[in-house]
Amino acid sequence: MPARATDARRAAVLGKPIAHSLSPVLHRAAYDALGLTEWSYDRFETDEDALPGFFEKLGPEWAGLSLTMPLKRAVIPLLDEISPTAASVDAVNTVVLSEDGRRLGDNTDIPGMVAALREHGIEQVESAAILGAGATASSALAALARICTGEVVAYVRSEARAAEMRRWGERLYVEVRTAPWSDAEEALGAPLVIATTPTGTTDALAAAVPERPTTLFDVLYDPWPTELAARWSMFGGAVVSGLDLLVHQAVLQVEQMTGRAPAPLEAMRHAGEEALAAR
């Protein structure tokens, strides 16, 4: 049942570290636009050891939680049910606390990626490249399972990471080939390049951007643009940013937690842009 504007409800983002999170900015902007004046959204620095205790203290006023690292897998044993999307990558970033006390887990990162790409005109690609092999890379593979009709090449730093990406490919029914990070410049010629690596990792690749780049999805948003994204844009390529992903996944979280749809995408994006500019 959709919440009434007078309902006093709580939500929050949990993780460690958490001070940098833009989630409060995005969710509060949504509450303002939706007229949910009695709703609040906070952030709590929480690690895996503290998570069960946090859940034990949740009262009926709680509507939902957003989860970031390192909690996306640690939360699963604490839930009553998880969605097929979350189960596909063993990662939950959204918990909806129902009126009957059930804890329902979902992953909005994956459909958020698909929505961010669709907003930039990417509905389907014949092949793609992923830079990196961490948790975000597995979500990227799950997103590509929905839009990529052919091979995905993952550029990784170790054979252990390569084996992990191949296993994710088998699980998600995506044709995955792995290549060493030393060959990462080759990724830049793919129809879609998804960079999932930490800040600074792809800087050295900026000089190798082709004259006619296609689409780059760089999951970073602060600092922005990355050197790779800036060079990509300079050469006329399409760039999807980490803020695009953050906003689209937050839109889905707001809709699930509040029962209000559609969530105010543009108001949330504007709030995120302002917050980043103020940093």
Side-chain angles (χ1 to χ4, degrees):
M1 178 183 298
R4 298 184 302 275
T6 54
D7 288 340
R9 305 300 304 278
R10 296 189 68 184
V13 60
L14 312 181
K16 186 176 182 178
I18 202 63
H20 69 285
S21 176
L22 279 181
S23 291
V25 171
L26 303 182
H27 284 252
R28 290 168 187 169
Y31 299 163
D32 287 344
L34 293 170
L36 297 174
T37 57
E38 299 300 319
W39 282 62
S40 63
Y41 190 101
D42 302 297
R43 60 166 69 91
F44 294 94
E45 184 156 303
T46 310
D47 61 16
E48 299 100 320
D49 293 336
L51 189 61
F54 190 95
F55 267 72
E56 288 176 5
K57 297 176 182 177
L58 294 174
E61 74 278 11
W62 283 88
L65 299 169
S66 307
L67 300 169
T68 185
M69 298 304 291
L71 304 177
K72 293 183 180 182
R73 292 195 173 128
V75 73
I76 292 175
L78 304 176
L79 304 177
D80 296 299
E81 181 182 342
I82 66 171
S83 69
T85 301
S88 72
V89 290
D90 289 337
V92 166
N93 78 325
T94 306
V95 176
V96 176
L97 304 164
S98 66
E99 292 183 1
D100 62 3
R102 289 173 58 77
R103 303 166 177 174
L104 311 175
D106 194 15
N107 185 309
T108 64
D109 286 331
I110 295 165
M113 284 186 175
V114 174
L117 286 165
R118 184 179 297 122
E119 186 178 42
H120 286 76
I122 307 299
E123 299 277 352
Q124 189 177 85
V125 291
E126 294 181 356
S127 61
I130 295 177
L131 298 172
T136 305
S138 62
S139 291
L141 267 183
L144 289 171
R146 304 184 181 193
I147 67 167
C148 184
T149 60
E151 181 183 68
V152 176
V153 184
Y155 292 82
V156 301
R157 292 192 180 277
S158 69
E159 178 52 37
R161 290 289 197 178
E164 184 176 359
M165 287 298 283
R166 291 192 293 267
R167 285 195 296 270
W168 280 117
E170 293 174 2
R171 179 168 174 173
L172 295 163
Y173 302 101
V174 179
E175 181 184 352
V176 174
R177 176 168 62 87
T178 56
W181 185 260
S182 57
D183 294 339
E185 289 185 5
E186 297 175 2
L188 307 186
L192 171 63
V193 181
I194 303 181
T196 69
T197 52
T199 301
T201 307
T202 61
D203 288 355
L205 299 178
V209 172
E211 289 186 4
R212 296 183 179 180
T214 51
T215 299
L216 170 69
F217 192 163
D218 195 324
V219 303
L220 298 174
Y221 62 86
D222 187 18
W224 184 261
T226 63
E227 289 191 25
L228 180 61
R231 181 88 169 179
W232 202 276
S233 294
M234 186 174 71
F235 276 52
V239 176
V240 186
S241 75
L243 182 61
D244 293 322
L245 167 59
L246 193 65
V247 171
H248 277 283
Q249 65 83 27
V251 159
L252 297 170
Q253 289 185 334
V254 168
E255 291 175 352
Q256 289 189 31
M257 293 178 191
T258 68
R260 300 289 188 88
L265 172 67
E266 291 308 322
M268 296 169 69
R269 190 201 314 275
H270 180 67
E273 290 172 344
E274 282 196 333
L276 286 176
R279 291 182 178 182

